[in-house]
Amino acid sequence: ALSGPGEADLVALGSVLSACEAVSAWRHALALLSGRRTRGANIILYNSTISACAKSNLWELSLQLFAEAQRQLQLTVISYNSVLYACEICGQWSQALLLLAKLEGSTLQ
């Protein structure tokens, strides 16, 4: 059950962002996330946008979104997986290794 009207909006937006991710519509995903930043984006919205950028070979943008999410929210294993995928498909192994080291030092399981 949803706890309030804002939560319903986040659920619907999450579904739209997942669709954007599936078709690599990173511009649309980024615009939707940008529209939610001031009203409270959650980690699921960030993860979907990071993945949409990753599927479009935009590893630097994925890293920027990851860093932004890290400053504001509790990261998840999915957050790391999404940004590591971006590094992998773009051949950014040094960035991937830095992220893995950060993940090992975190409290995520």
Side-chain angles (χ1 to χ4, degrees):
L2 301 176
S3 63
E7 191 172 343
D9 290 345
L10 283 175
V11 171
L13 184 56
S15 296
V16 172
L17 282 172
S18 291
C20 289
E21 175 188 348
V23 297
S24 302
W26 69 272
R27 284 185 178 95
H28 296 295
L30 191 58
L32 290 167
L33 176 64
S34 294
R36 279 302 303 194
R37 282 181 175 135
T38 58
R39 294 180 284 153
N42 65 20
I43 196 63
I44 295 168
L45 303 182
Y46 271 95
N47 291 345
S48 294
T49 306
I50 290 167
S51 293
C53 292
K55 289 182 179 180
S56 297
N57 298 326
L58 299 169
W59 68 273
E60 291 172 312
L61 185 53
S62 293
L63 281 174
Q64 289 173 356
L65 291 168
F66 178 85
E68 183 178 309
Q70 186 176 28
R71 286 188 300 272
Q72 300 173 18
L73 301 164
Q74 176 73 32
L75 295 176
T76 65
V77 172
I78 294 169
S79 306
Y80 279 92
N81 189 53
S82 298
V83 75
L84 284 168
Y85 176 69
C87 293
E88 175 192 355
I89 63 174
C90 294
Q92 298 299 319
W93 297 108
S94 60
Q95 287 293 327
L97 291 173
L98 289 172
L99 288 164
L100 283 172
K102 186 182 282 189
L103 175 60
E104 286 179 354
S106 77
T107 58
L108 295 178
Q109 296 182 13

